[in-house]
Structure formats: C-alpha cells, structure tokens
C-alpha cells in the first residue's frame, strides 16, 4: 500500500470510528423518534453531515478503493399500496424493474412462507406470462399474521462479501465487494431501509445469497447504529431465488432458497438463523 493510500485508510477508519462513537454517546432515542433524525445529528463543525468513508474491493479489477457511503445506489421496494417494505442494492446486471414488480405484487407468499429448491417456471399454455411452483413450501418464522417483514436484497458471493454499487462524481458506477461490517454500515445509513424499519416492520429478512457469512457483522453494526431490529437469515450457504410477477395483474411473487453445496441440503430442514438484538435497560446496561 502506498503512503497516500495508508493516510486515506487511516482517515477513513477515524471518520467511521468517530461516527460510531457519537452514535453510542447519544441518548437512547425514544420509540417515536425517527431514526433518520437521530442519524442527522452526526454533523461536522460547519453543520454539514460528515461523509462516512468505507473501503471495498472493485469487483472488476480486484483493487481496494474508498468510497462515500452516500454514493451507494439503492432501490426502494413498495407493496401494491405504495408502502415501503424493503430495499434492493443493485449490482452487476440487475433488472431493477423486476425487483420493483416483485415487491409490488398483489400477493407475496414470502410474507408468510418460503420455498426450498429451485422454483419451477414454465410458460403459460395460453402464451401469456409464466407459471411457477415451489418444490417444497414451508411456513416462515417471521410471519406475524399478514404483516410483511422488511426485506433486504443484495448480491452475496461465496467468500461472504456483499456486492454494492457506488456512483462517482462523473456519473460512472463501480461494483464493490464489502464485508458484513461495512454492509451493515451501508444498511444502517440507508434511508429506504430506515423508513421501512420505522413504518413497516422491525423484523428484517436478509435475502442475500451466502448472506449468513456476513450476517453476524451486519446485524451487530445495525445494533451499534441504533437500529433495533430482529434479523432472519439462512444459516446454510444458499442461493436465494426471488420469483416475481410479469406485468400481468394479479400474479404473486415468492422467495425460495436452495443450498449452494449439495452436501448442505440435509440442513435445509432448519435453514433459518434468527438474531435478536440485545435489549437495553433504562440505566443503559
């Protein structure tokens, strides 16, 4: 690493540490106080927000680079009534519209269940759209009687990192691989996610392929940042399939999971890990 790079890395770490320290030092926010307002209290000397600098690996070149957390691209996911129920972090060659349609379906079976195995998708006999079915459907432990959880979708890769896309000043975008801790920081600072946690559900479903490798660090960072959420993730290394509707009115969408390694298939009988945040007492203990 060159000397300028070392200086930038140290500065990045200092900025991130200062923000986390400030968040920890704040009085506990009340249940009715928006988390976005709490985050807005982290300002610089001139009243401007302090940009948090993170580091990631350029997925194309393998080189490590720094980027501002505010440049990370995300897409809000809304249900058919316009309510925000989650966030998608695009990367690679995402078709963003398909994720928007997935959330906007008249029915999401993933609110109350999930499938195991690769979804079977076939053309409709009349040539209008597709049919899909799940090999094995299971009840979801996050089901609370019709209330959708807050969904987080992103590309995960086998080494346990998560892919995000950051925009630069010249309007170009770069896909970065980040570890669970940095993805947790990105998620905690994301307005779409925070609004969904406030207005939709404090239960988070992490639908990220291979997401369990990063889920502990991600969840710890969310709690450190004051996001009081229960997190569900798939504890077996998995490939998550989100099958959504076409443009046909009335179609449903679903979520299915399959083990990425055939030797792990036996563990899909109980594939869910539930992480519950530590509850603080009034004296801060």
């Amino acid at each position: 690493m060159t000397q300028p790079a070392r200086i930038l890395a140290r500065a990045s770490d200092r900025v991130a540490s200062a923000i986390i320290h400030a968040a920890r030092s704040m009085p506990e926010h009340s249940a009715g106080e928006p988390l976005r307002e709490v985050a807005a209290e982290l300002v610089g000397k001139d009243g401007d927000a302090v940009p948090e600098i993170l580091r990631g690996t350029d997925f194309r070149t393998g080189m490590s680079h720094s980027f501002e957390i505010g440049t990370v691209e995300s897409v809000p996911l809304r249900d058919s009534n316009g309510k925000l129920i989650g966030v998608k972090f695009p990367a690679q060659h995402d078709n963003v519209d398909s994720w928007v349609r997935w959330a906007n379906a008249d029915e999401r079976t993933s609110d109350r269940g999930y499938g195991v195995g690769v979804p079977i998708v076939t053309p409709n006999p009349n040539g209008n759209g597709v049919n899909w079915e799940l090999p094995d459907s299971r009840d979801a432990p996050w089901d609370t009687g019709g209330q959708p959880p807050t969904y987080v979708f992103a590309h995960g890769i086998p080494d346990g990192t998560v892919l995000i896309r950051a925009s630069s000043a010249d309007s170009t975008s770069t896909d970065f691989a980040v570890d669970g801790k940095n993805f947790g920081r990105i998620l905690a600072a994301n307005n779409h996610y925070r609004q969904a946690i406030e207005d939709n559900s404090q239960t988070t479903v992490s639908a990220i392929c291979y997401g369990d490798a990063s889920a502990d660090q991600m969840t710890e960072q969310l709690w450190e940042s004051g996001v009081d959420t229960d997190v569900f993730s798939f504890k077996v290394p998995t490939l998550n399939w989100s099958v959504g509707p076409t443009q046909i009115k009335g179609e449903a969408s679903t979520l299915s999971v399959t083990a990425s390694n055939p030797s792990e298939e036996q563990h899909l009988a109980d594939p869910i890990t539930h992480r519950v945040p530590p509850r603080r007492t009034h004296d801060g203990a």
Side-chain angles (χ1 to χ4, degrees), residues 239-273:
L239 298 171
N240 295 334
W241 307 79
S242 302
V243 181
T246 61
Q247 291 83 353
I248 302 171
K249 185 70 173 175
E251 285 195 358
S253 62
T254 193
L255 176 67
S256 188
V257 59
T258 185
S260 60
N261 186 329
S263 66
E264 300 283 351
E265 290 286 349
Q266 58 182 322
H267 300 298
L268 282 175
D270 182 23
I272 303 296
T273 293

mmCIF file of all heavy atoms in Angstrom, residues 239-273:
data_model
loop_
_atom_site.group_PDB
_atom_site.id
_atom_site.type_symbol
_atom_site.label_atom_id
_atom_site.label_comp_id
_atom_site.label_asym_id
_atom_site.label_seq_id
_atom_site.Cartn_x
_atom_site.Cartn_y
_atom_site.Cartn_z
ATOM 1 N N LEU A 239 -28.467 -20.199 -2.218
ATOM 2 C CA LEU A 239 -28.827 -19.365 -3.354
ATOM 3 C C LEU A 239 -30.287 -18.992 -3.162
ATOM 4 O O LEU A 239 -31.145 -19.869 -3.031
ATOM 5 C CB LEU A 239 -28.637 -20.125 -4.667
ATOM 6 C CG LEU A 239 -27.200 -20.584 -4.973
ATOM 7 C CD1 LEU A 239 -27.191 -21.505 -6.185
ATOM 8 C CD2 LEU A 239 -26.283 -19.405 -5.180
ATOM 9 N N ASN A 240 -30.589 -17.710 -3.108
ATOM 10 C CA ASN A 240 -31.951 -17.249 -2.886
ATOM 11 C C ASN A 240 -32.582 -16.854 -4.211
ATOM 12 O O ASN A 240 -32.016 -16.072 -4.971
ATOM 13 C CB ASN A 240 -31.962 -16.056 -1.932
ATOM 14 C CG ASN A 240 -31.487 -16.436 -0.551
ATOM 15 O OD1 ASN A 240 -31.594 -17.585 -0.156
ATOM 16 N ND2 ASN A 240 -30.946 -15.490 0.184
ATOM 17 N N TRP A 241 -33.768 -17.383 -4.462
ATOM 18 C CA TRP A 241 -34.486 -17.128 -5.711
ATOM 19 C C TRP A 241 -35.715 -16.270 -5.406
ATOM 20 O O TRP A 241 -36.552 -16.637 -4.595
ATOM 21 C CB TRP A 241 -34.942 -18.428 -6.361
ATOM 22 C CG TRP A 241 -33.849 -19.429 -6.568
ATOM 23 C CD1 TRP A 241 -33.306 -20.259 -5.622
ATOM 24 C CD2 TRP A 241 -33.153 -19.703 -7.765
ATOM 25 N NE1 TRP A 241 -32.319 -21.038 -6.159
ATOM 26 C CE2 TRP A 241 -32.193 -20.720 -7.482
ATOM 27 C CE3 TRP A 241 -33.226 -19.199 -9.063
ATOM 28 C CZ2 TRP A 241 -31.339 -21.224 -8.449
ATOM 29 C CZ3 TRP A 241 -32.381 -19.716 -10.014
ATOM 30 C CH2 TRP A 241 -31.450 -20.712 -9.706
ATOM 31 N N SER A 242 -35.803 -15.127 -6.056
ATOM 32 C CA SER A 242 -36.972 -14.270 -5.896
ATOM 33 C C SER A 242 -37.741 -14.285 -7.199
ATOM 34 O O SER A 242 -37.290 -13.709 -8.199
ATOM 35 C CB SER A 242 -36.545 -12.845 -5.537
ATOM 36 O OG SER A 242 -35.770 -12.847 -4.360
ATOM 37 N N VAL A 243 -38.858 -14.969 -7.200
ATOM 38 C CA VAL A 243 -39.647 -15.141 -8.418
ATOM 39 C C VAL A 243 -40.827 -14.186 -8.354
ATOM 40 O O VAL A 243 -41.692 -14.298 -7.484
ATOM 41 C CB VAL A 243 -40.136 -16.596 -8.556
ATOM 42 C CG1 VAL A 243 -40.924 -16.761 -9.846
ATOM 43 C CG2 VAL A 243 -38.945 -17.543 -8.546
ATOM 44 N N GLY A 244 -40.839 -13.227 -9.248
ATOM 45 C CA GLY A 244 -41.882 -12.211 -9.203
ATOM 46 C C GLY A 244 -42.819 -12.294 -10.382
ATOM 47 O O GLY A 244 -42.640 -13.103 -11.297
ATOM 48 N N PRO A 245 -43.835 -11.446 -10.383
ATOM 49 C CA PRO A 245 -44.833 -11.459 -11.458
ATOM 50 C C PRO A 245 -44.293 -10.805 -12.721
ATOM 51 O O PRO A 245 -43.331 -10.051 -12.700
ATOM 52 C CB PRO A 245 -45.968 -10.626 -10.864
ATOM 53 C CG PRO A 245 -45.271 -9.665 -9.947
ATOM 54 C CD PRO A 245 -44.116 -10.430 -9.371
ATOM 55 N N THR A 246 -44.938 -11.125 -13.810
ATOM 56 C CA THR A 246 -44.719 -10.337 -15.012
ATOM 57 C C THR A 246 -45.654 -9.133 -14.899
ATOM 58 O O THR A 246 -46.098 -8.802 -13.804
ATOM 59 C CB THR A 246 -45.044 -11.165 -16.267
ATOM 60 O OG1 THR A 246 -46.419 -11.540 -16.214
ATOM 61 C CG2 THR A 246 -44.187 -12.407 -16.327
ATOM 62 N N GLN A 247 -45.935 -8.501 -15.996
ATOM 63 C CA GLN A 247 -46.813 -7.329 -15.922
ATOM 64 C C GLN A 247 -48.283 -7.708 -15.754
ATOM 65 O O GLN A 247 -49.146 -6.840 -15.689
ATOM 66 C CB GLN A 247 -46.658 -6.469 -17.187
ATOM 67 C CG GLN A 247 -45.310 -5.766 -17.287
ATOM 68 C CD GLN A 247 -44.227 -6.658 -17.863
ATOM 69 O OE1 GLN A 247 -44.444 -7.846 -18.074
ATOM 70 N NE2 GLN A 247 -43.062 -6.095 -18.097
ATOM 71 N N ILE A 248 -48.583 -8.992 -15.651
ATOM 72 C CA ILE A 248 -49.976 -9.433 -15.566
ATOM 73 C C ILE A 248 -50.543 -9.101 -14.185
ATOM 74 O O ILE A 248 -49.963 -9.445 -13.165
ATOM 75 C CB ILE A 248 -50.089 -10.940 -15.822
ATOM 76 C CG1 ILE A 248 -49.501 -11.276 -17.202
ATOM 77 C CG2 ILE A 248 -51.536 -11.402 -15.738
ATOM 78 C CD1 ILE A 248 -49.388 -12.755 -17.444
ATOM 79 N N LYS A 249 -51.664 -8.443 -14.147
ATOM 80 C CA LYS A 249 -52.299 -8.083 -12.879
ATOM 81 C C LYS A 249 -52.732 -9.335 -12.136
ATOM 82 O O LYS A 249 -53.260 -10.273 -12.715
ATOM 83 C CB LYS A 249 -53.513 -7.195 -13.154
ATOM 84 C CG LYS A 249 -54.204 -6.654 -11.910
ATOM 85 C CD LYS A 249 -53.357 -5.621 -11.209
ATOM 86 C CE LYS A 249 -54.138 -4.975 -10.060
ATOM 87 N NZ LYS A 249 -53.301 -4.050 -9.275
ATOM 88 N N GLY A 250 -52.501 -9.343 -10.839
ATOM 89 C CA GLY A 250 -52.994 -10.426 -10.007
ATOM 90 C C GLY A 250 -51.991 -11.521 -9.728
ATOM 91 O O GLY A 250 -52.272 -12.418 -8.942
ATOM 92 N N GLU A 251 -50.811 -11.494 -10.353
ATOM 93 C CA GLU A 251 -49.842 -12.537 -10.087
ATOM 94 C C GLU A 251 -49.154 -12.317 -8.739
ATOM 95 O O GLU A 251 -49.102 -11.211 -8.218
ATOM 96 C CB GLU A 251 -48.789 -12.585 -11.199
ATOM 97 C CG GLU A 251 -49.313 -13.205 -12.474
ATOM 98 C CD GLU A 251 -48.185 -13.578 -13.424
ATOM 99 O OE1 GLU A 251 -47.018 -13.328 -13.098
ATOM 100 O OE2 GLU A 251 -48.499 -14.130 -14.487
ATOM 101 N N ALA A 252 -48.620 -13.400 -8.210
ATOM 102 C CA ALA A 252 -47.960 -13.342 -6.912
ATOM 103 C C ALA A 252 -46.444 -13.372 -7.103
ATOM 104 O O ALA A 252 -45.929 -13.571 -8.196
ATOM 105 C CB ALA A 252 -48.406 -14.518 -6.044
ATOM 106 N N SER A 253 -45.726 -13.146 -5.999
ATOM 107 C CA SER A 253 -44.277 -13.284 -6.004
ATOM 108 C C SER A 253 -43.880 -14.120 -4.798
ATOM 109 O O SER A 253 -44.628 -14.256 -3.835
ATOM 110 C CB SER A 253 -43.595 -11.912 -5.957
ATOM 111 O OG SER A 253 -43.914 -11.229 -4.767
ATOM 112 N N THR A 254 -42.684 -14.676 -4.846
ATOM 113 C CA THR A 254 -42.277 -15.576 -3.779
ATOM 114 C C THR A 254 -40.769 -15.525 -3.574
ATOM 115 O O THR A 254 -40.044 -14.862 -4.309
ATOM 116 C CB THR A 254 -42.728 -17.015 -4.081
ATOM 117 O OG1 THR A 254 -42.590 -17.808 -2.914
ATOM 118 C CG2 THR A 254 -41.889 -17.621 -5.208
ATOM 119 N N LEU A 255 -40.313 -16.235 -2.557
ATOM 120 C CA LEU A 255 -38.893 -16.355 -2.238
ATOM 121 C C LEU A 255 -38.605 -17.832 -2.006
ATOM 122 O O LEU A 255 -39.340 -18.515 -1.297
ATOM 123 C CB LEU A 255 -38.563 -15.559 -0.974
ATOM 124 C CG LEU A 255 -37.136 -15.639 -0.427
ATOM 125 C CD1 LEU A 255 -36.153 -14.985 -1.385
ATOM 126 C CD2 LEU A 255 -37.055 -14.962 0.943
ATOM 127 N N SER A 256 -37.544 -18.339 -2.638
ATOM 128 C CA SER A 256 -37.170 -19.727 -2.451
ATOM 129 C C SER A 256 -35.667 -19.810 -2.230
ATOM 130 O O SER A 256 -34.912 -18.939 -2.661
ATOM 131 C CB SER A 256 -37.568 -20.561 -3.676
ATOM 132 O OG SER A 256 -37.376 -21.943 -3.427
ATOM 133 N N VAL A 257 -35.230 -20.855 -1.537
ATOM 134 C CA VAL A 257 -33.818 -20.993 -1.170
ATOM 135 C C VAL A 257 -33.363 -22.421 -1.443
ATOM 136 O O VAL A 257 -34.123 -23.373 -1.255
ATOM 137 C CB VAL A 257 -33.613 -20.631 0.320
ATOM 138 C CG1 VAL A 257 -34.451 -21.511 1.213
ATOM 139 C CG2 VAL A 257 -32.147 -20.715 0.723
ATOM 140 N N THR A 258 -32.154 -22.556 -1.918
ATOM 141 C CA THR A 258 -31.572 -23.877 -2.113
ATOM 142 C C THR A 258 -30.114 -23.839 -1.678
ATOM 143 O O THR A 258 -29.455 -22.805 -1.791
ATOM 144 C CB THR A 258 -31.677 -24.319 -3.585
ATOM 145 O OG1 THR A 258 -31.201 -25.653 -3.711
ATOM 146 C CG2 THR A 258 -30.885 -23.409 -4.510
ATOM 147 N N ALA A 259 -29.615 -24.931 -1.144
ATOM 148 C CA ALA A 259 -28.233 -24.974 -0.681
ATOM 149 C C ALA A 259 -27.286 -24.842 -1.872
ATOM 150 O O ALA A 259 -27.503 -25.441 -2.921
ATOM 151 C CB ALA A 259 -27.964 -26.277 0.071
ATOM 152 N N SER A 260 -26.230 -24.047 -1.690
ATOM 153 C CA SER A 260 -25.273 -23.862 -2.774
ATOM 154 C C SER A 260 -24.349 -25.061 -2.910
ATOM 155 O O SER A 260 -23.746 -25.276 -3.953
ATOM 156 C CB SER A 260 -24.444 -22.599 -2.527
ATOM 157 O OG SER A 260 -23.743 -22.700 -1.301
ATOM 158 N N ASN A 261 -24.250 -25.851 -1.860
ATOM 159 C CA ASN A 261 -23.441 -27.065 -1.881
ATOM 160 C C ASN A 261 -24.355 -28.251 -1.614
ATOM 161 O O ASN A 261 -25.047 -28.285 -0.586
ATOM 162 C CB ASN A 261 -22.346 -26.983 -0.814
ATOM 163 C CG ASN A 261 -21.368 -28.147 -0.882
ATOM 164 O OD1 ASN A 261 -21.734 -29.255 -1.273
ATOM 165 N ND2 ASN A 261 -20.127 -27.893 -0.491
ATOM 166 N N PRO A 262 -24.401 -29.245 -2.494
ATOM 167 C CA PRO A 262 -25.312 -30.386 -2.285
ATOM 168 C C PRO A 262 -25.150 -31.054 -0.927
ATOM 169 O O PRO A 262 -26.117 -31.595 -0.384
ATOM 170 C CB PRO A 262 -24.940 -31.334 -3.426
ATOM 171 C CG PRO A 262 -24.391 -30.454 -4.493
ATOM 172 C CD PRO A 262 -23.669 -29.350 -3.762
ATOM 173 N N SER A 263 -23.944 -31.001 -0.349
ATOM 174 C CA SER A 263 -23.733 -31.623 0.958
ATOM 175 C C SER A 263 -24.483 -30.909 2.069
ATOM 176 O O SER A 263 -24.658 -31.454 3.166
ATOM 177 C CB SER A 263 -22.239 -31.666 1.291
ATOM 178 O OG SER A 263 -21.725 -30.352 1.468
ATOM 179 N N GLU A 264 -24.926 -29.681 1.796
ATOM 180 C CA GLU A 264 -25.656 -28.906 2.800
ATOM 181 C C GLU A 264 -27.164 -29.115 2.714
ATOM 182 O O GLU A 264 -27.906 -28.584 3.549
ATOM 183 C CB GLU A 264 -25.342 -27.413 2.634
ATOM 184 C CG GLU A 264 -23.880 -27.040 2.795
ATOM 185 C CD GLU A 264 -23.454 -27.014 4.253
ATOM 186 O OE1 GLU A 264 -24.332 -27.122 5.128
ATOM 187 O OE2 GLU A 264 -22.239 -26.897 4.509
ATOM 188 N N GLU A 265 -27.626 -29.841 1.702
ATOM 189 C CA GLU A 265 -29.064 -29.985 1.504
ATOM 190 C C GLU A 265 -29.771 -30.524 2.745
ATOM 191 O O GLU A 265 -30.892 -30.142 3.052
ATOM 192 C CB GLU A 265 -29.338 -30.912 0.309
ATOM 193 C CG GLU A 265 -28.987 -30.326 -1.042
ATOM 194 C CD GLU A 265 -29.980 -29.270 -1.505
ATOM 195 O OE1 GLU A 265 -31.047 -29.139 -0.884
ATOM 196 O OE2 GLU A 265 -29.679 -28.581 -2.486
ATOM 197 N N GLN A 266 -29.104 -31.434 3.463
ATOM 198 C CA GLN A 266 -29.736 -32.034 4.637
ATOM 199 C C GLN A 266 -30.063 -30.995 5.707
ATOM 200 O O GLN A 266 -30.982 -31.173 6.506
ATOM 201 C CB GLN A 266 -28.808 -33.097 5.235
ATOM 202 C CG GLN A 266 -27.435 -32.557 5.640
ATOM 203 C CD GLN A 266 -26.525 -33.634 6.187
ATOM 204 O OE1 GLN A 266 -26.987 -34.514 6.894
ATOM 205 N NE2 GLN A 266 -25.249 -33.566 5.839
ATOM 206 N N HIS A 267 -29.320 -29.880 5.718
ATOM 207 C CA HIS A 267 -29.527 -28.871 6.751
ATOM 208 C C HIS A 267 -30.646 -27.891 6.400
ATOM 209 O O HIS A 267 -30.995 -27.040 7.223
ATOM 210 C CB HIS A 267 -28.233 -28.100 6.999
ATOM 211 C CG HIS A 267 -27.099 -28.965 7.444
ATOM 212 N ND1 HIS A 267 -27.137 -29.685 8.621
ATOM 213 C CD2 HIS A 267 -25.900 -29.235 6.871
ATOM 214 C CE1 HIS A 267 -26.011 -30.366 8.747
ATOM 215 N NE2 HIS A 267 -25.250 -30.114 7.705
ATOM 216 N N LEU A 268 -31.198 -28.007 5.209
ATOM 217 C CA LEU A 268 -32.274 -27.104 4.837
ATOM 218 C C LEU A 268 -33.568 -27.414 5.582
ATOM 219 O O LEU A 268 -34.533 -26.667 5.483
ATOM 220 C CB LEU A 268 -32.520 -27.161 3.325
ATOM 221 C CG LEU A 268 -31.515 -26.379 2.479
ATOM 222 C CD1 LEU A 268 -31.775 -26.616 1.006
ATOM 223 C CD2 LEU A 268 -31.581 -24.900 2.792
ATOM 224 N N ALA A 269 -33.578 -28.505 6.339
ATOM 225 C CA ALA A 269 -34.754 -28.795 7.158
ATOM 226 C C ALA A 269 -34.962 -27.705 8.211
ATOM 227 O O ALA A 269 -36.072 -27.477 8.671
ATOM 228 C CB ALA A 269 -34.609 -30.155 7.835
ATOM 229 N N ASP A 270 -33.883 -27.034 8.585
ATOM 230 C CA ASP A 270 -33.985 -25.943 9.558
ATOM 231 C C ASP A 270 -33.003 -24.855 9.130
ATOM 232 O O ASP A 270 -31.950 -24.681 9.726
ATOM 233 C CB ASP A 270 -33.643 -26.447 10.961
ATOM 234 C CG ASP A 270 -33.784 -25.355 12.007
ATOM 235 O OD1 ASP A 270 -34.527 -24.391 11.756
ATOM 236 O OD2 ASP A 270 -33.123 -25.451 13.053
ATOM 237 N N PRO A 271 -33.341 -24.120 8.055
ATOM 238 C CA PRO A 271 -32.349 -23.258 7.436
ATOM 239 C C PRO A 271 -32.253 -21.842 8.000
ATOM 240 O O PRO A 271 -31.485 -21.036 7.500
ATOM 241 C CB PRO A 271 -32.830 -23.196 5.985
ATOM 242 C CG PRO A 271 -34.316 -23.246 6.116
ATOM 243 C CD PRO A 271 -34.591 -24.145 7.291
ATOM 244 N N ILE A 272 -33.041 -21.513 9.022
ATOM 245 C CA ILE A 272 -33.150 -20.119 9.428
ATOM 246 C C ILE A 272 -32.323 -19.829 10.682
ATOM 247 O O ILE A 272 -32.366 -20.559 11.665
ATOM 248 C CB ILE A 272 -34.623 -19.745 9.724
ATOM 249 C CG1 ILE A 272 -35.487 -20.025 8.497
ATOM 250 C CG2 ILE A 272 -34.738 -18.290 10.126
ATOM 251 C CD1 ILE A 272 -35.157 -19.199 7.281
ATOM 252 N N THR A 273 -31.576 -18.749 10.637
ATOM 253 C CA THR A 273 -30.923 -18.217 11.828
ATOM 254 C C THR A 273 -31.629 -16.936 12.220
ATOM 255 O O THR A 273 -31.853 -16.064 11.379
ATOM 256 C CB THR A 273 -29.432 -17.925 11.565
ATOM 257 O OG1 THR A 273 -28.761 -19.158 11.345
ATOM 258 C CG2 THR A 273 -28.791 -17.229 12.757
#
